[in-house]
Amino acid sequence: MSKQGTLFDKRFLGKHAGQIMSDPTTALVELVANAWDAYATKVSISWPSEEAGSPFRILDDGIGMTRNEFQKIWRTLDYNRLETQGPEIDPPPELMNALPRKVYGQNGRGRHAAFLFSSPYLVRTWRDANETTFRVSEGSTQPISVEIVQERSDVDGHGTEIIGERVIPSKLTSEEVRSILSTRFLLDPSFSVSVDEIKVTFEDIPPGAIEVKEVDIPTLGVAELRVIDSQKSDRTTKQHGIAWWVQNRLVGQADWTAFDGKFIDGRTEEARRYSFIVTADFLKPWVLPDWSDFDKNADQVSTAQDIIHNAIRDTISHLLRARRKETKEKVKQTFRSEVAELPQLSQDRWDNMLDELIEKCPTFGEKQISQVMGLLASMELAESKYSLLDKLSELSPDDVDAWNNILEEWTLRTAKAALDEVRYRLKLIEDIRQKTEDHDTDEVQDLQPLIEKSLWIFGPEYESIEYTSNRGMTTVLKRLFGSQSKGSLNRPDFVVLPDSTVGIYARAKFDSESNEVGSEAVVIVELKRPGVSLGSSEKNQAWKYIKELKSKGYIDDSTKVRAFILGNQIERGEGDERKEGENVVIRPILYATFVSQAEKRMLNLHKKLSDAPFMQSASNDDLTRTETKEMFS
C-alpha cells in the first residue's frame, strides 16, 4: 500500500497565521521584527503604489540566510526559533562591539505576513558571498510552495529583501505606515526604519500618542521621559518596555525589567501598548564599558531608577484613570439586563464590587473586568452564591494556572461529566473493596447491584450499556434451585443462594430486519461468601446454569458466554479458566484480584486522587443505596 501525506485546504495557511495575514498593522510589525531578529540596523520599506506600478518591498541589512537555512526556516510551519537559534542573536562581524539582541520571533509565523502584500512574493537573501532568490507561493496541496529562482556568488555583505510580484494597493498611506512603526521601533537608536526613503522618527508619532516630561533627579540632573502609546495592544510586549538612552545610545535592552526585577506584568494591556524612553546623559559615568547595563552598585543609578520608575507608575495610573471611567460605563451597559434581574440589595453590591475592581486592579482591561463582573452577576443569581470565590481564594498561583490550562481544553460541562464518571467509578471500587474485605459480611447479595455497574472491570468489551440484567434468565435459575432461592423474591434481578448470589447480564442479538432474536452475549457473575473456596464444583455449578439456559432456549451454541466466579480463596490448582466449546468460558477470580484489576483499569487514579475531597468521605453507603434504588425502580 502506498503512503499518503496530509492534505491541506487552501484556507489553512490564513487560519494558521491569523491576523498576521489579515491585519496590515500586525503584518508590518511582524516583518520589521523579523529584520530586528536578523540583527539588521537599517530597514527600508517601499510602500505599494498602484499608480507607479511598484509592489511592496522590504529590505534589511541583517545577517541574511544561506540557501539551506532559508529552505528550513521558510518551509517549517511553527518553526521554533528559540529552540533552534536561541533567545538572542549575535551581531555580525563588523559590529563586534555591539551587544547580542533579544529576538522577537518564537513560532516562525511572522514570515507569512508577506502574503498580505503579495502572493506569490520573492525573497532575495545573501550571506557568505552567496545570494539566492526564492519564489514563495501559497501552495495548492501544501500550505507553502518554495522554488529557487536565481543563485549568485561573489556577493558582498549580507541582508534579506522581500519583493511582491503583484501590486496590491493598501488603504494605508506611507505616512500612516510610518506612524504605526514609530510607536514600536524607536526604542533603540541603532535600529533605523524608513518608508519610501523617509526615516521613521518621533515626528511620525500621532498627536496624543506621545508625551514628553522632564523628571528632576536631585544632585544629578534632569531626565527626559518620552511616553509612547501605540494606541493598540500588540500580541506581545516585545516592541514595548522601558528604554534607557545615554548620549543617544541604548543601555542594555528595552523591556519591562526593572533594576530590581520585573517592573510590570507582561500579560497586562499596558505592557503590550505603552513604551517609555528615558534620556539620562548624566548617567554616563556609570554605564558599563560594553553598554550592557548600568553599574548596579552605584547609588546614583539606584536613585535615578527609583525616581523614574515612580514617575512611570504615576503616568500609567493617570493614563488608565480616564479609561477606567469609560470601562465602568461599558461594563454596566453590557450587564444591564442581568443586573436588572437581581434584588436591589444585590444590584447595589454588584455596583460596589465593580467600583472596587476598577479601583484596586487598574491594570485590568475592559475584557477582564467584563469577565469578572459577568461571573459575579452569575454568582448573585446562583444558589451557591459566592462559595466558588472562597475556593478560588485558597488556590495558589500554580493552581490558578492549572485551572486555566484545564479550561482551555475543556468546557465546565464536559469536565464535570468526565470527573463525575471518575468519581463514581472510584467510589464504586472503594465500595466493592470494603464489602469484599469484610469476611464477616452476610450480605454478599449487596455486591450484586454494584457488579451490574462494574462489568467494565472484567474487560473493555463489557463496557457497553447494552449489557443489562436479564430477569427472564434469572427466573429460569430460580426455578432450577427451587426452594433454595432464599429471599429471591425481594431480589428480582439476581438469584440468592445459601452460599452465593448469581447475576445474569445479557446483550441482545438482532436479525437483518432489526428484530431481537435472542442473546448475542451473556455474562454470569456468581459471588461466593467468604470461606467458600472456588474449585471444580463451583465451575461445574456455573456450567449447570449455562446448560439450563440452553435447554430453555435463552442461549444457543453461538452465544458468547462468560461466567465469572468471585470469592476470597481458590483451591490449589483450580485457578485456570474452564472452556466448554468455542464460546463458553468459566473463570474463577479472587475478590482482591478483581479490585486490583479495577484500579488498573482506572489507571491507578485512586492513588493519585487520594487527597480529593470525595475520596475522604468515610462511607459510600449513600451512593450505593441511591444507585441500587435506581436500578430496582
Side-chain angles (χ1 to χ4, degrees):
M1 180 180 293
S2 61
K3 294 182 179 180
Q4 296 184 352
T6 303
L7 301 178
F8 293 87
D9 185 84
K10 62 182 180 181
R11 299 169 297 175
F12 170 80
L13 190 61
K15 291 183 176 181
H16 172 73
Q19 284 190 318
I20 290 172
M21 284 180 58
S22 61
D23 177 52
T25 297
T26 303
L28 277 167
V29 171
E30 291 290 340
L31 290 175
V32 176
N34 285 347
W36 168 274
D37 289 352
Y39 217 113
T41 59
K42 294 181 180 179
V43 180
S44 176
I45 297 173
S46 297
W47 200 239
S49 171
E50 197 170 19
E51 295 79 8
S54 55
F56 172 84
R57 303 168 74 104
I58 180 169
L59 169 68
D60 69 65
D61 63 350
I63 61 174
M65 290 169 280
T66 66
R67 180 177 64 181
N68 291 337
E69 287 173 340
F70 179 89
Q71 293 271 20
K72 179 179 180 181
I73 294 172
W74 237 258
R75 297 179 65 182
T76 302
L77 294 179
D78 273 346
Y79 172 75
N80 192 328
R81 196 240 189 264
L82 296 182
E83 182 178 293
T84 307
Q85 297 175 260
E88 294 184 334
I89 182 171
D90 292 325
E94 65 270 21
L95 299 176
M96 63 178 64
N97 293 325
L99 295 172
R101 281 183 184 174
K102 290 183 179 179
V103 299
Y104 291 157
Q106 295 184 20
N107 54 33
R109 297 187 185 185
R111 65 186 185 279
H112 303 318
F115 281 123
L116 181 63
F117 302 108
S118 177
S119 181
Y121 60 86
L122 299 176
V123 179
R124 181 174 67 93
T125 184
W126 65 100
R127 64 175 296 174
D128 303 333
N130 294 308
E131 177 188 282
T132 309
T133 301
F134 301 87
R135 177 176 288 107
V136 184
S137 310
E138 294 179 75
S140 56
T141 59
Q142 295 292 318
I144 299 174
S145 174
V146 177
E147 60 177 312
I148 296 177
V149 176
Q150 181 181 346
E151 292 185 275
R152 293 197 304 153
S153 56
D154 298 326
V155 179
D156 294 333
H158 44 77
T160 298
E161 183 178 24
I162 296 175
I163 310 163
E165 285 202 339
R166 299 170 53 203
V167 179
I168 300 179
S170 173
K171 294 181 181 180
L172 295 176
T173 65
S174 58
E175 290 80 9
E176 290 171 326
V177 172
R178 291 198 300 273
S179 175
I180 290 170
L181 299 177
S182 67
T183 61
R184 294 168 174 86
F185 292 103
L186 289 176
L187 296 185
D188 189 341
S190 67
F191 185 68
S192 170
V193 183
S194 64
V195 180
D196 289 341
E197 300 183 352
I198 299 177
K199 184 178 178 181
V200 176
T201 67
F202 292 117
E203 300 296 325
D204 294 303
I205 298 178
I210 184 171
E211 182 181 2
V212 181
K213 300 180 178 182
E214 290 188 347
V215 181
D216 182 50
I217 313 296
T219 72
L220 290 175
V222 177
E224 184 180 74
L225 178 63
R226 289 187 179 94
V227 184
I228 301 174
D229 180 3
S230 65
Q231 299 181 322
K232 175 184 175 183
S233 292
D234 291 322
R235 294 187 304 112
T236 71
T237 65
K238 292 186 177 180
Q239 294 89 32
H240 305 282
I242 304 172
W244 288 80
W245 287 12
V246 173
Q247 295 182 348
N248 205 39
R249 183 172 176 180
L250 180 67
V251 179
Q253 304 281 353
D255 53 30
W256 287 114
T257 302
F259 192 65
D260 54 354
K262 183 179 290 186
F263 179 79
I264 198 170
D265 190 335
R267 296 169 295 183
T268 58
E269 181 181 358
E270 64 272 16
R272 294 178 281 115
R273 175 170 174 172
Y274 294 104
S275 300
F276 295 85
I277 297 177
V278 184
T279 301
D281 290 347
F282 53 80
L283 291 179
K284 176 63 172 64
W286 300 283
V287 175
L288 298 181
D290 62 358
W291 288 76
S292 61
D293 206 342
F294 293 103
D295 181 358
K296 294 184 177 181
N297 295 319
D299 293 337
Q300 296 88 340
V301 173
S302 297
T303 298
Q305 286 202 330
D306 288 343
I307 293 174
I308 291 296
H309 287 166
N310 286 334
I312 292 175
R313 289 188 183 95
D314 291 342
T315 300
I316 291 176
S317 178
H318 175 75
L319 290 170
L320 297 180
R321 191 170 296 126
R323 284 172 45 205
R324 288 201 297 269
K325 183 178 180 180
E326 180 182 352
T327 296
K328 178 181 177 180
E329 294 305 316
K330 286 183 178 180
V331 172
K332 291 183 71 172
Q333 186 66 24
T334 298
F335 296 102
R336 182 177 59 181
S337 58
E338 288 88 342
V339 174
E341 297 181 22
L342 300 173
Q344 187 58 50
L345 182 61
S346 294
Q347 291 185 32
D348 294 341
R349 183 162 52 210
W350 190 88
D351 286 339
N352 291 335
M353 286 188 290
L354 175 58
D355 289 335
E356 284 199 47
L357 180 64
I358 290 176
E359 184 63 31
K360 294 183 178 181
C361 302
T363 61
F364 273 25
E366 180 184 337
K367 179 179 179 181
Q368 289 76 28
I369 291 175
S370 290
Q371 289 170 337
V372 172
M373 295 312 299
L375 176 61
L376 294 176
S378 298
M379 287 181 175
E380 283 285 355
L381 291 169
E383 292 182 5
S384 59
K385 294 296 181 184
Y386 294 95
S387 63
L388 175 60
L389 283 183
D390 292 335
K391 297 178 178 65
L392 292 175
S393 66
E394 296 173 358
L395 298 180
S396 68
D398 288 341
D399 289 337
V400 172
D401 287 337
W403 266 114
N404 181 63
N405 292 336
I406 290 171
L407 293 177
E408 285 182 349
E409 299 179 0
W410 297 74
T411 65
L412 282 175
R413 290 185 181 274
T414 55
K416 187 178 186 304
L419 292 173
D420 281 349
E421 182 65 21
V422 170
R423 170 187 175 275
Y424 171 70
R425 293 196 178 197
L426 291 181
K427 289 178 76 67
L428 193 62
I429 293 171
E430 191 59 30
D431 253 2
I432 295 172
R433 185 204 311 277
Q434 291 177 10
K435 292 186 181 300
T436 56
E437 287 182 350
D438 184 1
H439 291 186
D440 296 327
T441 181
D442 290 327
E443 301 296 331
V444 176
Q445 63 265 34
D446 285 349
L447 274 173
Q448 201 65 247
L450 299 177
I451 294 299
E452 181 176 357
K453 304 295 185 181
S454 310
L455 296 182
W456 52 272
I457 298 175
F458 293 114
E461 65 268 31
Y462 308 112
E463 184 80 33
S464 172
I465 60 173
E466 296 173 356
Y467 279 99
T468 56
S469 295
N470 191 297
R471 294 189 179 184
M473 294 188 191
T474 303
T475 301
V476 170
L477 294 196
K478 286 179 180 178
R479 290 173 181 169
L480 172 65
F481 292 104
S483 60
Q484 294 186 56
S485 303
K486 178 182 178 182
S488 62
L489 292 178
N490 297 324
R491 302 290 189 175
D493 287 330
F494 50 88
V495 180
V496 179
L497 301 174
D499 66 347
S500 65
T501 177
V502 182
I504 305 177
Y505 313 99
R507 189 177 71 207
K509 179 166 60 176
F510 300 92
D511 62 16
S512 59
E513 297 179 355
S514 300
N515 297 314
E516 188 171 337
V517 291
S519 298
E520 181 180 359
V522 172
V523 177
I524 299 175
V525 181
E526 182 170 12
L527 307 176
K528 291 293 185 180
R529 294 185 186 281
V532 178
S533 296
L534 308 183
S536 58
S537 62
E538 284 67 34
K539 295 178 185 177
N540 287 335
Q541 192 174 38
W543 175 232
K544 183 179 179 181
Y545 306 156
I546 297 168
K547 289 191 295 182
E548 184 70 16
L549 295 176
K550 282 188 177 184
S551 70
K552 300 299 183 182
Y554 279 90
I555 59 177
D556 55 33
D557 290 340
S558 66
T559 304
K560 183 178 179 180
V561 183
R562 295 292 181 267
F564 300 99
I565 314 169
L566 277 67
N568 68 342
Q569 57 192 44
I570 299 176
E571 293 179 9
R572 184 184 297 273
E574 291 292 342
D576 294 336
E577 62 185 26
R578 171 176 169 179
K579 295 184 178 180
E580 296 289 345
E582 294 183 359
N583 291 321
V584 176
V585 176
I586 303 169
R587 180 178 302 160
I589 301 176
L590 290 173
Y591 285 130
T593 302
F594 182 71
V595 172
S596 177
Q597 184 168 301
E599 292 172 344
K600 287 184 172 63
R601 293 203 184 281
M602 287 301 293
L603 307 177
N604 288 321
L605 287 176
H606 68 292
K607 295 179 181 178
K608 299 176 183 177
L609 303 179
S610 60
D611 60 345
F614 74 85
M615 293 290 283
Q616 305 302 313
S617 57
S619 173
N620 253 347
D621 291 341
D622 290 341
L623 175 67
T624 305
R625 285 197 295 268
T626 301
E627 294 298 333
T628 304
K629 181 178 179 181
E630 291 177 355
M631 189 175 68
F632 290 143
S633 61

